[in-house]
Amino acid sequence: MPLYRKLEALKLARSSYKGNALGVVPTMGALHQGHLSLIAKAKRESEVVWVTIFVNPTQFEKKDDLDKYPESLAADVAAIYEIGADIHIFAPTATDMYPEGLATRGQRLDGLDNLMEGADRPGHFDGVITIVAKLFEVLQPHQAYFGEKDFQQLQVIKKWAKDQHIPTRIIPCPIVREASGLAMSSRNAQLSPKDRKEAGFIYETMLQCKNKSLDKPAVYTTTKKAFSAHPNFDLRYVLCAEEDSLKEVHDLVSANKPRLFIAASVAGVRLIDNIALK
Ligand code: PAF
């Protein structure tokens, strides 16, 4: 399986593909079934697939969060191999990606980046866009796959790609869930078995709000009440927002594509999730 550690080697390999169906799946490694579903989709839809594995330091606002982010390159490579022995993997070092130091490129994103994860994690989306831009520059993908668990990230990347006239198609991929309902995330491995199981209440609450077609105040009250029954889970935010603008909606009945967004932390581990309400 082709595993590239150096940018120069990647550039050489990339230059040999002249077709128009190169798919990229950017990841930070510690791959789970959610990532693997993106890679499998990319494989079905592309002639050549590149998976990037890079824990991007500039999108972490806290050093201890970066330090404890899980890494498992050997297991990741083995899991990708199961999907396709011909999939290219690019796993660079921070020096390769940031030869001049950990600077980010400021972006104008019309406020998409100021709320939710952007408000809670200042500078996070500048870091995400910086690394995605760098990866796109060298890989020149025709299509790139991003999971809907990070829905705000997906919208930010779509907006950036549109504004910058990036020709890559940004392909959203559905959330994959654990048996408890918890959205799959590399961070889940940091949870205690008890917290991991208990965290299923977040999805249960979101489903309840959706299935009962609750209005916005009821969604907020129901969510806060659910969290008060799980005091070790700290609710960071709950927001009903319109899918494209991410602006808070007032009336869920008349809203265009409303979505419920929740972020929480438990024992220092951040969890985010979302669901379409209609
Ligand atoms: O979603 C992620 O894993 C990361 O934010 C991404 C898109 C790979 C950029 O580092």
Side-chain angles (χ1 to χ4, degrees), residues 183-225:
M184 285 203 182
S185 162
S186 304
R187 292 178 188 274
N188 293 356
Q190 300 170 340
L191 296 171
S192 70
K194 180 184 164 292
D195 286 343
R196 191 163 179 165
K197 199 156 166 248
E198 190 179 340
F201 86 89
I202 300 174
Y203 182 54
E204 266 169 38
T205 307
M206 294 197 313
L207 268 184
Q208 196 188 333
C209 295
K210 179 186 172 105
N211 294 342
K212 290 189 176 163
S213 302
L214 298 181
D215 62 12
K216 188 181 76 172
V219 168
Y220 290 176
T221 317
T222 303
T223 305
K224 286 174 190 163
K225 198 167 159 216

Side-chain angles (χ1 to χ4, degrees), residues 28 54 56-61 97-98 101-135 137 152-157 159-160 163-164:
M28 297 207 295
F54 177 60
N56 173 35
T58 63
Q59 67 188 77
F60 288 81
E61 71 291 1
M97 295 316 292
Y98 293 96
L102 297 179
T104 55
R105 307 174 188 176
Q107 308 293 326
R108 288 193 50 201
L109 296 160
D110 282 356
L112 281 184
D113 54 332
N114 293 338
L115 40 116
M116 297 194 279
E117 293 307 286
D120 249 15
R121 308 180 62 188
H124 170 68
F125 287 117
D126 282 347
V128 169
I129 294 296
T130 301
I131 194 64
V132 171
K134 284 173 185 254
L135 293 170
E137 275 159 23
Q152 185 177 13
Q153 166 174 282
L154 176 67
Q155 298 305 60
V156 159
I157 290 171
K159 165 88 180 131
W160 159 78
D163 288 357
Q164 301 298 317

Side-chain angles (χ1 to χ4, degrees), residues 6 10 43 50 52 83 143 148 216 238 249 271 278:
K6 292 280 164 215
L10 168 143
K43 177 88 178 109
W50 283 81
T52 68
I83 300 175
Q143 51 234 22
E148 288 188 336
K216 188 181 76 172
V238 49
V249 297
L271 305 174
K278 285 207 280 212

Side-chain angles (χ1 to χ4, degrees), residues 66-117:
L66 171 63
D67 290 345
K68 66 179 190 211
Y69 199 83
E71 287 188 59
S72 54
L73 184 61
D76 293 348
V77 171
I80 296 169
Y81 187 85
E82 289 296 310
I83 300 175
D86 56 349
I87 295 175
H88 296 67
I89 302 174
F90 179 48
T93 64
T95 320
D96 278 310
M97 295 316 292
Y98 293 96
E100 277 146 28
L102 297 179
T104 55
R105 307 174 188 176
Q107 308 293 326
R108 288 193 50 201
L109 296 160
D110 282 356
L112 281 184
D113 54 332
N114 293 338
L115 40 116
M116 297 194 279
E117 293 307 286

Side-chain angles (χ1 to χ4, degrees), residues 228-245:
S228 63
H230 298 271
N232 46 333
F233 286 72
D234 176 29
L235 176 63
R236 301 294 308 168
Y237 58 75
V238 49
L239 187 77
C240 294
E242 196 263 341
E243 205 171 284
D244 294 323
S245 69

